[in-house]
Structures are given as C-alpha cells and as structure tokens.
Amino acid sequence: PTRNKSCSKGRRLIFIHAITKDGPLCQIDPTTGRPVDNIEWNKDTPHADDKTVTDDLLLTAENIWLASSHTGDYHDNMDGELFNKWVVNKLMPTFKRLYPGKKMVLVMDNAPYHHVRGIGSLSGLNKGKIIGLMKEKGVDYILLPLTDERKELLKDDHEYVIENEYIRLPFDEEGFCKTKRKFNALTTPTVDELKVGFVMWLREHKPDVLRCKIEKFIEDDGGTVLWTPPYCPDLQPIELFWAAGKNNVALNYYHGRSCKET
C-alpha cells in the first residue's frame, strides 16, 4: 500500500551519545528492553538536558535538542563548550557508574569541537591580539629565529642572549607592535615569528594551555583518548549505530506524525 510520506525532511534533531561493545552507554529499561532517556519535551520540542548525572537520575550519556541551523551540517549546532559539558556532566559519570573500576578508552574523530584547547587558533590573529594573549598568559620573553639579517645586525651588538640559533628578547608590548620596515629588524618580530615564539614559550612554561581540554580531562581521570584519522568513518563503530538509528527514523516518520512520536 502507498504510505503517506512527506517530501519534507522534517525537523532536525541533534544527538550526542556514546556506545560501548554492549551498545549505547546507558541503562536498559527492564520492562521494555529499550534504552532509558532523560529527554524533556515541551510539546513537540526536546530540550537538551545538561544536568550532571547522579545516582538519583537515570543513567544515560544521551543528549538531544532541536537544531537551530538549517544548512544540513550538524556541526553548525555544536561547539566546544557544549561538547566539554557533555563529557563532564554525562559521559564520564555514566561510564563510571555502569563500568565501575574500568578504564575509559574514548575513540573520537577530529571534529573541531573535540579539540578545544586552553588557547584557540592563532592563525587568523593580528599582532595586537597575539600580544594581548601573551600578556594574559604572562609571557616574559620570546625567542626569535637567528636569521642571516639578525646575525649581521648582531656583529656589533653583544647585548642579547643567543640560544640554539634563537635570539632571546624580553617581552616588549610596544616594541613588538612595531613593523619591521620602519624599525629595528633585530628586535621587531613579524606576526608569524610572534606566533611561533608564543607557542614555544607556552610549551616551556604552560604546556597544559596547548593540550586538548577533553584529552586532559580524560587522561587526568585515568582514561585514554584515541584519535581516528580524518575522513575514516569505518574506524568509528558509532557511525553504524547512527546509520541504523537514522534509517529507523526515516521508516517511521510520515506526514502528520509528530517529532516526539517518531
């Protein structure tokens, strides 16, 4: 018989979940055999539940909300803060209660919101913003590459410390802002030199700032993160999980049926 199917794709929902070899990371309702959920609905709209999993709540790592973007790319509806909150409030406490004493080995792909660090990307920043970040992190010196030009300028100047083909300069907010064309090429870094020098200083003095927040949180709790290569969904078993779920939704959605019913 002909089914009353709509040509519309309907409303877009965003899910975050995790699976283990036993299936979705959650309790199973013994009366129905189905995974439990804490989804809160306002009529036909689900709302993300960001409450931390505790003993008096159903154990599930699932979270769900209505997409706010219509581009067709679910990544538009995700960010690092939301993902970090899910890991801390949902994923870890659910795992610890369902698998007490076990070590978590979390397999993740390289989505940008998985890699939020204590300091964001420097690639698009100008000198002023980089110098502002350097002040914020307490940078007191910077190493600049000892280029041929700088070597020539250093012939008659023994004021500066040389370290392994780098010249060490005290942090100078005003001097670093200058342009190389108008001022001293010896002590005025280019924007790219500032970026590299800043990262070198952080690696030496504040390495945690450069670490992925999720990776640090998991490892500090005794777990491990395994990163899969880009564009390799076959290495992500949860992709099969999502494929089955999406196909099931498509089969059970038809014109006139609500989002919640589906």
Side-chain angles (χ1 to χ4, degrees):
T2 302
R3 299 188 66 190
N4 186 18
K5 298 289 287 185
S6 169
C7 62
S8 168
K9 291 184 178 296
R11 307 173 86 190
R12 294 180 60 82
L13 297 180
I14 304 298
F15 288 81
I16 312 180
H17 215 327
I19 62 170
T20 72
K21 63 181 178 62
D22 302 317
L25 185 60
C26 63
Q27 290 175 314
I28 301 298
D29 187 330
T31 60
T32 65
R34 293 177 176 272
V36 301
D37 70 67
N38 287 326
I39 301 173
E40 298 178 359
W41 292 84
N42 180 6
K43 298 182 179 178
D44 199 35
T45 301
H47 292 273
D49 172 20
D50 59 1
K51 294 190 293 290
T52 302
V53 170
T54 56
D55 289 332
D56 59 342
L57 292 175
L58 296 174
L59 295 180
T60 178
E62 181 187 54
N63 212 347
I64 175 176
W65 69 97
L66 190 66
S68 58
S69 171
H70 301 286
T71 64
D73 185 352
Y74 73 89
H75 291 86
D76 292 348
N77 293 269
M78 287 288 293
D79 59 41
E81 181 180 354
L82 179 61
F83 186 76
N84 287 3
K85 184 181 290 186
W86 172 75
V87 171
V88 173
N89 293 353
K90 297 288 187 184
L91 178 67
M92 286 300 292
T94 301
F95 176 81
K96 286 183 176 182
R97 286 169 173 79
L98 293 179
Y99 295 92
K102 296 291 186 180
K103 173 182 177 179
M104 173 183 284
V105 180
L106 182 61
V107 181
M108 291 199 295
D109 63 21
N110 285 274
Y113 49 80
H114 291 163
H115 286 277
V116 175
R117 304 178 189 278
I119 184 171
S121 172
L122 304 178
S123 61
L125 301 185
N126 58 30
K127 267 193 172 186
K129 290 185 178 179
I130 296 171
I131 291 169
L133 284 173
M134 294 171 75
K135 287 181 62 178
E136 178 185 317
K137 299 302 179 184
V139 174
D140 54 354
Y141 71 87
I142 189 173
L143 296 177
L144 298 181
L146 195 55
T147 61
D148 291 340
E149 183 180 15
R150 288 195 172 103
K151 288 179 181 178
E152 185 67 26
L153 292 170
L154 278 170
K155 282 183 177 180
D156 302 318
D157 193 336
H158 304 286
E159 176 185 352
Y160 300 100
V161 177
I162 306 301
E163 299 181 9
N164 299 322
E165 294 299 311
Y166 288 92
I167 179 174
R168 178 174 175 142
L169 298 178
F171 179 76
D172 178 5
E173 180 179 359
E174 182 178 350
F176 288 175
C177 282
K178 296 175 181 177
T179 61
K180 188 175 180 180
R181 292 187 300 275
K182 296 180 179 178
F183 298 94
N184 192 343
L186 176 64
T187 58
T188 304
T190 66
V191 65
D192 288 335
E193 287 174 341
L194 264 184
K195 293 173 184 177
V196 173
F198 184 25
V199 171
M200 290 174 66
W201 187 91
L202 289 172
R203 285 176 179 166
E204 178 69 23
H205 299 280
K206 295 186 176 181
D208 281 352
V209 173
L210 297 174
R211 291 185 65 190
C212 167
K213 287 185 177 181
I214 292 300
E215 191 170 40
K216 182 179 186 303
F217 177 76
I218 298 293
E219 291 178 354
D220 287 352
D221 203 71
T224 299
V225 177
L226 295 180
W227 300 104
T228 59
Y231 310 113
C232 293
D234 290 347
L235 298 179
Q236 287 281 355
I238 200 168
E239 294 291 348
L240 299 176
F241 178 84
W242 290 128
K246 290 177 180 179
N247 288 336
N248 189 55
V249 168
L251 288 172
N252 287 280
Y253 171 72
Y254 48 82
H255 184 66
R257 196 174 198 201
S258 70
C259 180
K260 184 176 181 180
E261 290 171 333
T262 304

